[in-house]
Amino acid sequence: MNPGRVILGIDPGTGRTGYGAVRQTGDEVEFVECGCISTDPKGTREERLLELHRHLSALFERIRPEVAAVEELFFSRNVTTALSVGEARGVILLAAAQNHVTVTSYNPMTVKETVAGAGKAGKPEMTQAVMYSLNLSEKPRPDDAADGLALALCHLIWEGLDS
């Protein structure tokens, strides 16, 4: 039996990193798991990044994705937030490299256009599109997890267009 291949979508953040995994077997795509890695807000920046790395390493080891689709850092007026997300993204790239996982990156507008059909789609539209695409009866929680699933779906769609 072909177990298929797992695509892991990751929405970076130091405080909360959302993730969602899907499995593709032939033309079929199925939900594997989703969730959110939260770090201790009382920890130092270094401690939080280390905690994120530990959780990501365990996640990569457990689900063994072939590809990780990671949201690109978008321009932010809040420099502190942008730096924090950039640091988290660096930790994600490191964990992927340590686990020999290929990384692809997508900007938020591309993910929204690809999955929901509109570059300015909001959280409710994105969640509905993810639920429909994966035939889910319940909303992925929290929103960061739905974002992770959307990234994984976006990758599969773009990969199909490139074939």
Side-chain angles (χ1 to χ4, degrees), residues 76-133:
S76 174
R77 291 177 195 224
N78 185 333
V79 175
T80 303
T81 299
L83 287 172
S84 177
V85 172
E87 290 171 344
R89 195 170 188 283
V91 168
I92 292 163
L93 298 178
L94 172 63
Q98 289 174 326
N99 286 276
H100 311 287
V101 175
T102 301
V103 174
T104 58
S105 298
Y106 299 94
N107 68 56
M109 185 172 284
T110 297
V111 175
K112 291 175 181 183
E113 287 174 352
T114 304
V115 176
K120 295 189 180 194
K123 292 281 187 189
E125 292 86 5
M126 288 300 294
T127 300
Q128 282 299 114
V130 166
M131 290 175 63
Y132 177 79
S133 297

Side-chain angles (χ1 to χ4, degrees), residues 6-162:
V6 175
I7 310 301
L8 176 64
I10 305 175
D11 181 27
T14 302
R16 289 170 35 134
T17 292
Y19 69 89
V22 299
R23 177 176 290 111
Q24 180 186 35
T25 307
D27 291 338
E28 298 294 317
V29 177
E30 67 178 336
F31 170 82
V32 174
E33 72 173 81
C34 67
C36 188
I37 298 169
S38 297
T39 61
D40 183 355
K42 294 179 183 172
T44 65
R45 184 165 72 202
E46 294 83 3
E47 290 168 339
R48 294 178 86 182
L49 292 171
L50 179 60
E51 184 179 358
L52 176 61
H53 183 266
R54 285 183 184 140
H55 286 289
L56 286 166
S57 295
L59 179 65
F60 279 113
E61 180 67 28
R62 186 176 74 252
I63 68 170
R64 299 193 179 277
E66 180 178 303
V67 176
V70 181
E71 187 172 273
E72 287 180 351
L73 183 60
F74 56 94
F75 176 75
S76 174
R77 291 177 195 224
N78 185 333
V79 175
T80 303
T81 299
L83 287 172
S84 177
V85 172
E87 290 171 344
R89 195 170 188 283
V91 168
I92 292 163
L93 298 178
L94 172 63
Q98 289 174 326
N99 286 276
H100 311 287
V101 175
T102 301
V103 174
T104 58
S105 298
Y106 299 94
N107 68 56
M109 185 172 284
T110 297
V111 175
K112 291 175 181 183
E113 287 174 352
T114 304
V115 176
K120 295 189 180 194
K123 292 281 187 189
E125 292 86 5
M126 288 300 294
T127 300
Q128 282 299 114
V130 166
M131 290 175 63
Y132 177 79
S133 297
L134 294 172
N135 198 28
L136 300 176
S137 58
E138 294 182 21
K139 292 181 183 180
R141 295 279 185 208
D143 287 341
D144 301 291
D147 293 343
L149 288 169
L151 280 152
L153 290 169
C154 178
H155 175 76
L156 286 175
I157 293 167
W158 276 98
E159 184 179 61
L161 292 173
D162 290 340

